[in-house]
Amino acid sequence: MSKTKIISIFGSTGSIGCNSLNVIDNLIKNNESIELKYLTTYSSIEKLAEQIAKYSPSGVVIVNKDAADNFRNNFNFKDLEILSGREGLMEIAGRDDNNFMINALVGISGLEPTIDAIRSGKDIALANKETLVAAGGFVTELLKKHNTLLFPIDSEHSAILQCIQGENPNCVSSIILTASGGPFRKYSIDELDNVSIEDALNHPNWKMGKKITIDSATMMNKGLEVIEAKWLFDIDVNNIKVLIHPESIIHSMVEFNDGSVKAQLGIPDMKIPIQYSLTFPERVRSDYPKMDFRKFSQLNFEEPDLLKFKCLQIAYDVLNKGGIYPVILNSSNEIAVDLFLKDRIKFKDIPYLILKQLDDYNGSEELSIGNIIETDLLIRNNMNREFVT
Ligand code: MN
């Protein structure tokens, strides 16, 4: 790596945040030039305190203000700057004393810090899907304008990025996003009627946060990834395909115009895409679990059933429709997943709640950040009003 990466981790106490710290351990062990400047959490102050003790960042943001007060009263770290609230996040996203953001925030809350980070010239490793789903066009324009780079922290998009290195983008004929199929891959449509929260949270291959785990069960996760792929790789939606691959060993593939296909493979472990985002285009040695092909005598593939996984079909339709609709898709899905996790709706209701918001929308189509945030809020309010007890 050329210049020292001075890193802020947004959402350091979540699953991606903790994995990012493990990756940073490995990079430091390998004498990479890296410095950890800021950590942020919503309210997990105990875990944050452990991370501060180990990594000595110069500052932290605790978004929830009660948790921040709690932290101030209970912990005393010398010379630690403590910020709180959304404004704390925006503050460090815009500061020029750090030059690389790892954005592992959950939901649309990740969008504005990303924009401020780009505007202040930072490169970004992005785990927050909502940023590109809701504002892909805006963000990609902004990246060009500020000459900054955005690396996906997602196994599929990292795989695609790795496959297209050294290739002429004009020779890419299609992108094949692989999907595990989630816990309900073998269920019939009728069997989906009465699945429980625990069933849906029981992902076969990946250990992740709750929101993304439910998205994997509905396959909305793959739908969001199709939308992200369009923005990250500037590819026509008709050339982005989804293929179920239950073993999650092939993380995605790229087909070229001569018929050749490149795939990126590995044990499902988020540390690999996280590390690639930090070392791109180089690679650094690691002791993460390695592939033993003798244990995978068979890799399987199947076409996703779009009647069963309605959310995936909805995502394709929304991408074709374009405009403000991906914003509505994203926020209505977030609320629907939240309602499901609170046991207020059934699993099979999720796509219908989303469709209703998409169908009912008659507001502004403008794609400014202001209108994106406003539309997002409108959809949330609509749905929460409907589900007030
Ligand atoms: Mn993924």
Side-chain angles (χ1 to χ4, degrees), residues 62-327:
I62 300 160
V63 178
N64 180 289
K65 298 210 169 172
D66 293 336
D69 289 342
N70 226 331
F71 182 86
R72 287 190 183 95
N73 293 333
N74 288 293
F75 296 98
N76 189 11
F77 290 100
K78 202 169 168 287
D79 298 328
L80 178 74
E81 183 185 17
I82 305 165
L83 298 160
S84 65
R86 287 278 299 163
E87 60 275 24
L89 290 182
M90 301 308 286
E91 165 73 28
I92 63 165
R95 278 189 191 174
D96 57 14
D97 60 0
N98 62 109
N99 61 23
F100 195 98
M101 168 196 257
I102 296 178
N103 184 341
L105 296 175
V106 177
I108 196 78
S109 68
L111 173 60
E112 285 177 295
T114 307
I115 288 170
D116 270 30
I118 300 171
R119 285 191 172 134
S120 58
K122 294 177 187 63
D123 290 338
I124 296 170
L126 186 70
N128 177 266
K129 293 196 157 78
E130 294 77 3
T131 292
L132 283 177
V133 171
F138 187 91
V139 167
T140 46
E141 282 303 311
L142 206 61
L143 288 166
K144 274 183 222 148
K145 187 171 155 199
H146 293 274
N147 199 21
T148 56
L149 298 172
L150 187 146
F151 303 102
I153 297 187
D154 202 340
S155 59
E156 296 79 1
H157 304 93
S158 178
I160 294 163
L161 181 65
Q162 294 179 55
C163 291
I164 62 174
Q165 287 314 298
E167 301 286 352
N168 179 343
N170 296 323
C171 299
V172 171
S173 55
S174 70
I175 280 175
I176 302 160
L177 289 172
T178 52
S180 69
F184 304 136
R185 179 171 64 89
K186 289 189 164 165
Y187 283 47
S188 69
I189 296 182
D190 290 343
E191 282 171 327
L192 282 186
D193 279 0
N194 290 305
V195 295
S196 69
I197 299 171
E198 291 68 38
D199 295 335
L201 284 175
N202 187 20
H203 195 277
N205 302 343
W206 293 96
K207 271 182 76 81
M208 307 175 286
K210 280 187 179 177
K211 199 270 179 177
I212 186 171
T213 305
I214 300 302
D215 283 345
S216 298
T218 62
M219 284 195 80
M220 178 60 92
N221 182 52
K222 211 51 54 179
L224 299 177
E225 288 179 355
V226 168
I227 300 176
E228 278 183 287
K230 179 207 149 61
W231 294 116
L232 282 168
F233 305 109
D234 189 22
I235 187 157
D236 189 275
V237 53
N238 297 311
N239 297 326
I240 308 173
K241 294 165 187 165
V242 170
L243 183 65
I244 291 185
H245 164 45
E247 293 84 4
S248 296
I249 292 298
I250 295 180
H251 298 310
S252 276
M253 301 182 260
V254 176
E255 188 187 69
F256 296 90
N257 56 5
D258 60 355
S260 184
V261 178
K262 280 166 85 173
Q264 187 261 346
L265 292 74
I267 298 287
D269 183 339
M270 285 309 292
K271 290 196 289 296
I272 294 173
I274 293 170
Q275 179 163 313
Y276 190 68
S277 76
L278 286 166
T279 63
F280 175 93
E282 306 290 329
R283 294 180 187 273
V284 169
R285 159 200 308 274
S286 85
D287 55 8
Y288 311 147
K290 300 289 189 303
M291 273 296 292
D292 180 351
F293 282 93
R294 292 163 300 186
K295 288 189 181 146
F296 297 95
S297 57
Q298 243 190 45
L299 297 179
N300 293 283
F301 304 96
E302 57 194 64
E303 183 81 16
D305 178 351
L306 295 181
L307 292 175
K308 182 166 85 175
F309 295 114
K310 288 192 175 59
C311 287
L312 180 54
Q313 179 67 58
I314 296 171
Y316 268 108
D317 293 344
V318 159
L319 185 53
N320 275 313
K321 203 162 176 186
I324 198 81
Y325 289 94
V327 179

